[in-house]
Amino acid sequence: MAKVHVLHGPNLDLLGEREPETYGHQSLDSIDQELVALGRNLGLVVETLQSNHEGQLVDAVHEAARSADALLINAAGYTHTSVAIRDAVAAARARIAVLEVHLSIPEAREVFRQVSLLAGVVDGRIEGLGSLSYGLALRAASELLRARGVLRDQ
Ligand code: DQA
């Protein structure tokens, strides 16, 4: 079965309690469970990881490139600062599909959020739809994998 890794960056472990007016009331655990269930329906094995540490996220991007067929990444605050994560994603994208995900619309917020270092090295971005952004990104990944012949009708 095709495999999709989902990476969540810093502070996303606090989803549900952190600025719910911006990020919603759903916990990360619950989002992850929904993604695993949706993945099953789409014929995908979904594995999720959250980290507050830049180096661990870089390692996890490398791991996805080695062992998954697609990566969904919400690098959270590192989206706007991390050349290291960008470089890892650029390398991964040579092998697998990579989609950038955000709960909010960073471009509509503070100036420091208006640049994504990842935007230039991903296959696509889904943002602004709260936790729905993740589910839509997973559906997009399944379409990309189907178009690339990695995922076939069951
Ligand atoms: C975020 C947007 C980032 O600017 C912010 O630092 C986050 C979450 C989002 O999902 O909307 O932590 O990536």
Side-chain angles (χ1 to χ4, degrees), residues 81-96:
T81 63
S82 178
V83 174
I85 294 176
R86 176 199 163 97
D87 288 348
V89 167
R93 193 190 164 200
R95 303 177 62 150
I96 63 172

Side-chain angles (χ1 to χ4, degrees), residues 125-138:
R125 309 174 77 207
I126 299 191
E127 61 181 30
L129 298 162
S131 57
L132 192 58
S133 294
Y134 284 101
L136 290 172
L138 189 59

Side-chain angles (χ1 to χ4, degrees), residues 40-96:
R40 215 172 284 132
N41 288 339
L42 295 169
L44 300 166
V45 175
V46 173
E47 291 183 11
T48 66
L49 177 83
Q50 188 276 329
S51 175
N52 293 321
H53 305 281
E54 187 175 17
Q56 202 176 347
L57 290 163
V58 169
D59 286 343
V61 172
H62 293 180
E63 178 58 27
R66 275 193 296 269
S67 65
D69 300 292
L71 171 67
L72 311 188
I73 181 166
N74 182 350
Y78 285 136
T79 304
H80 319 295
T81 63
S82 178
V83 174
I85 294 176
R86 176 199 163 97
D87 288 348
V89 167
R93 193 190 164 200
R95 303 177 62 150
I96 63 172

Side-chain angles (χ1 to χ4, degrees), residues 10 18 23 74 76-77 80 102-104 106 109 113:
R18 170 195 182 209
Y23 299 119
N74 182 350
H80 319 295
H102 297 284
L103 296 141
S104 66
R109 300 175 60 196
R113 293 184 207 276

